[in-house]
């Protein structure tokens, strides 16, 4: 069998298994096993499994993933989301569409200590959705806003997606986090602008300005102070050189736990749930790592990824055209795969292609910029039809809102995503600006 035919067989096996609802990690593992055994035989395959699993999971860098996940679970179970929303509502309640904007602000703040899109969407929705519906917001704008706001959980550091990208491409996690700060803030502002425009173009979906908006009280400020302290402690410590990202994740998890404990929200049962949820999520990610490692090793043996990189480099087209094509592929792939699986499967193929092109920037800058572009596109896939994981999560919590209404509600935010991604595509200095201050 030719190398191209074998590559098609590997991908065909993976997609076929996924189509019959085999877990993605198992699908990639089985497809990779078929490709590896076909090329090398059973003995080399056994040796690969004997060494690769330990080599992958013994990596110290991987410990940052469960630590940031644990930090997010402590934040979710610790009653932090309610304080965030009340503070944001007091800030934004005086504007038209203010509660929707407050939800976005709360999502951004919660995402800055959780790193998870799903956790951000589910947690803030549980607090904000009843309030928005009670004040007369339509199901369309309420669920659409919260689904889009959930993506801010991965677009702001600590982002699990960026951590995995850093591990796969051997890039500096601190620099990637720094590069994500400005784009994440721009994403939040862009979403708030989308809300402001939408409630004026379609005024029936949101009430007029509240007659008695919430007041910004000392209690509401004190309620969010621990969140600001956690963020400054973790990222101030990382960028100040006091500890590594892994140590920062440990400090963040411990501080978030103490905050939940002081708020009186952390019971023994919730404490157990945090560790159980962390174990489940981390195990799922690590299994996908193992499946992706095997599949990518099988693809590497075919030499097709290297040949593809050479072919693309010889096309003579603009490097930006190649980036746009890759990003569009991610949008399509987002219809059938989750963000972690997409990264683990495609980055080993696409990253060498990107690094082989001339963007007129240092190689490290290209790697970091491409990571941010991928992050933006992954966020797009979380709310874009026909799947959109965040849409399903939020809509599942809004029993009275048809799925079609939620998809209509995310359309203004998808437009904002396209505008923002285009901006970063042509002006990479925006995400790279803060990176210049990191040694």
């Amino acid at each position: 069998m030719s190398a191209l035919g074998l590559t098609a067989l590997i991908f065909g096996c993976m997609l076929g298994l996924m189509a019959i609802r085999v877990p993605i990690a198992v699908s990639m593992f089985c497809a990779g096993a078929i490709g590896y055994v076909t090329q090398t035989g059973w003995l080399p395959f056994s040796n690969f499994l004997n060494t690769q699993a330990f080599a992958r999971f013994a990596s110290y860098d991987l410990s940052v993933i469960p630590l940031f996940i644990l930090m997010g679970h402590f934040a979710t179970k610790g009653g932090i989301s309610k304080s965030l929303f009340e503070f944001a509502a007091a800030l934004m309640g005086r504007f038209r569409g203010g509660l929707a904007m407050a939800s976005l602000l709360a999502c951004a703040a919660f995402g800055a200590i959780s790193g998870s899109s799903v956790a951000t969407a589910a947690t803030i929705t549980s607090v904000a959705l009843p309030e928005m519906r009670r004040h007369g917001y339509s199901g369309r704008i309420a669920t659409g806003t919260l689904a889009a706001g959930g993506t801010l959980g991965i677009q702001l550091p600590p982002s699990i997606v960026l951590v995995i990208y850093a591990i796969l491409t051997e890039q500096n996690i601190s620099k990637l986090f720094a590069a994500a700060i400005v784009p994440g803030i721009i994403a939040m502002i862009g979403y708030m602008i989308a809300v402001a425009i939408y409630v004026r173009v379609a005024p029936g979906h949101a009430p007029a300005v509240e007659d008695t908006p919430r007041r910004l009280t000392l209690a509401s400020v004190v309620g969010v102070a621990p969140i600001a302290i956690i963020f400054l402690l973790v990222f101030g410590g990382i960028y100040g050189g006091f500890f590594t990202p892994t140590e920062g994740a440990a400090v963040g998890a411990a501080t978030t736990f103490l905050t939940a404990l002081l708020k009186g929200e952390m019971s023994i049962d919730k404490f157990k749930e945090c560790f159980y949820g962390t174990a489940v999520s981390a195990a799922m990610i690590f299994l996908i790592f193992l499946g992706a490692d095997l599949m990518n090793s099988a693809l590497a043996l075919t030499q097709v990824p290297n040949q593809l990189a050479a072919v693309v480099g010889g096309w003579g087209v603009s490097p930006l055209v190649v980036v746009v094509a890759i990003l569009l592929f991610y949008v399509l792939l987002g219809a059938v795969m989750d963000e972690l699986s997409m990264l683990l499967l495609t980055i080993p193929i696409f990253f060498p292609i990107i690094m082989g092109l001339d963007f007129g920037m240092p190689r490290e800058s290209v790697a970091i910029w491409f990571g941010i572009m991928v992050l933006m596109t992954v966020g797009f896939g979380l709310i874009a039809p026909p799947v959109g994981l965040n849409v399903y999560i939020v809509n599942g919590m809004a029993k009275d809102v048809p799925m079609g209404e939620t998809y209509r509600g995310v359309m203004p935010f998808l437009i904002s995503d396209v505008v923002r991604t285009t901006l970063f595509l042509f002006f990479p200095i925006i995400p790279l600006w803060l990176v210049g201050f990191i040694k």
Side-chain angles (χ1 to χ4, degrees):
M1 185 180 295
S2 67
L4 190 59
L6 185 56
T7 301
L9 174 64
I10 293 171
F11 276 103
C13 288
M14 181 195 71
L15 294 175
L17 289 170
M18 287 171 55
I20 59 174
R21 297 186 178 275
V22 174
I24 289 175
V26 178
S27 298
M28 288 194 290
F29 185 90
C30 292
I34 292 171
Y36 205 98
V37 170
T38 301
Q39 296 175 87
T40 65
W42 286 102
L43 184 58
F45 173 66
S46 300
N47 291 334
F48 175 86
L49 292 182
N50 187 40
T51 58
Q52 182 61 28
F54 178 79
R56 167 58 76 185
F57 298 145
S59 171
Y60 174 74
D61 292 337
L62 274 184
S63 60
V64 74
I65 295 175
L67 286 171
F68 273 131
I69 293 174
L70 181 61
M71 178 176 166
H73 277 289
F74 283 149
T76 302
K77 299 292 185 182
I80 292 175
S81 56
K82 184 177 180 181
S83 300
L84 272 176
F85 181 73
E86 289 176 350
F87 176 77
L91 279 181
M92 308 305 299
R94 63 192 76 253
F95 302 106
R96 188 164 191 171
L99 282 184
M101 296 180 188
S103 301
L104 293 169
L105 194 60
C107 284
F110 188 83
I113 56 172
S114 76
S116 167
S117 174
V118 171
T120 299
T123 304
I124 301 300
T125 296
S126 65
V127 177
L129 183 61
E131 285 294 304
M132 293 173 72
R133 298 293 274 156
R134 187 168 66 84
H135 283 81
Y137 285 77
S138 70
R140 178 187 300 183
I141 191 171
T143 56
T145 298
L146 291 165
T151 66
L152 297 173
I154 61 169
Q155 295 188 48
L156 285 160
S159 168
I160 299 301
V161 172
L162 277 184
V163 171
I164 292 176
Y165 178 86
I167 292 170
L168 291 175
T169 60
E170 299 181 351
Q171 298 301 310
N172 186 298
I173 295 178
S174 300
K175 291 185 177 181
L176 278 165
F177 280 176
I181 291 175
V182 172
I185 293 172
I186 291 175
M188 181 191 69
I189 294 172
Y191 284 171
M192 293 173 75
I193 292 172
V195 168
I197 294 174
Y198 190 77
V199 297
R200 286 164 173 78
V201 173
H205 289 282
V209 179
E210 296 181 48
D211 296 329
T212 56
R214 307 179 192 211
R215 294 183 179 277
L216 191 63
T217 63
L218 180 61
S220 62
V221 175
V222 171
V224 297
I227 300 156
I229 292 172
I230 292 169
F231 186 84
L232 291 175
L233 180 63
V234 173
F235 293 100
I238 291 173
Y239 297 127
F242 295 104
F243 36 71
T244 66
T246 302
E247 293 165 348
V251 170
T255 309
T256 308
F257 169 69
L258 290 175
T259 299
L261 208 59
L262 292 173
K263 289 173 69 69
E265 297 283 348
M266 186 57 67
S267 64
I268 293 295
D269 288 339
K270 286 184 177 180
F271 182 75
K272 292 178 181 178
E273 288 173 11
C274 288
F275 277 92
Y276 179 76
T278 299
V280 170
S281 299
M284 179 269 294
I285 292 172
F286 288 178
L287 279 176
I288 294 176
F289 259 119
L290 185 59
D293 280 347
L294 179 55
M295 186 164 176
N296 288 320
S297 295
L299 291 173
L301 288 173
T302 67
Q303 295 295 311
V304 169
N306 293 335
Q307 294 171 14
L308 183 61
V311 169
V312 172
W315 278 350
V317 299
S318 168
L320 289 181
V321 174
V322 178
V323 174
V324 171
I326 290 174
L327 296 182
L328 289 175
F329 180 78
Y330 273 120
V331 171
L332 295 175
L333 204 59
V336 294
M337 298 182 74
D338 63 84
E339 67 272 23
L340 300 183
S341 302
M342 282 194 294
L343 283 182
L344 290 164
L345 178 63
T346 60
I347 289 300
I349 299 173
F350 289 152
F351 187 71
I353 295 175
I354 293 299
M355 298 308 292
L357 300 174
D358 182 13
F359 291 89
M361 296 187 290
R363 288 176 60 83
E364 184 185 46
S365 297
V366 172
I368 292 173
W369 169 71
F370 181 64
I372 299 303
M373 297 304 298
V374 170
L375 181 68
M376 298 291 109
T377 311
V378 165
F380 187 96
L382 285 170
I383 58 174
V387 182
L389 182 58
N390 277 18
V391 172
Y392 276 85
I393 289 169
V394 173
N395 188 264
M397 299 175 71
K399 303 297 184 182
D400 61 328
V401 182
M403 182 67 74
E405 282 294 289
T406 304
Y407 275 124
R408 291 184 183 93
V410 299
M411 288 303 167
F413 304 102
L414 289 175
I415 294 172
S416 175
D417 284 341
V418 171
V419 172
R420 183 177 71 256
T421 304
T422 303
L423 180 67
F424 299 155
L425 182 67
F426 289 101
F427 299 98
I429 186 62
I430 298 174
L432 293 175
W433 175 65
L434 274 180
V435 179
F437 296 96
I438 308 299
K439 295 181 180 180

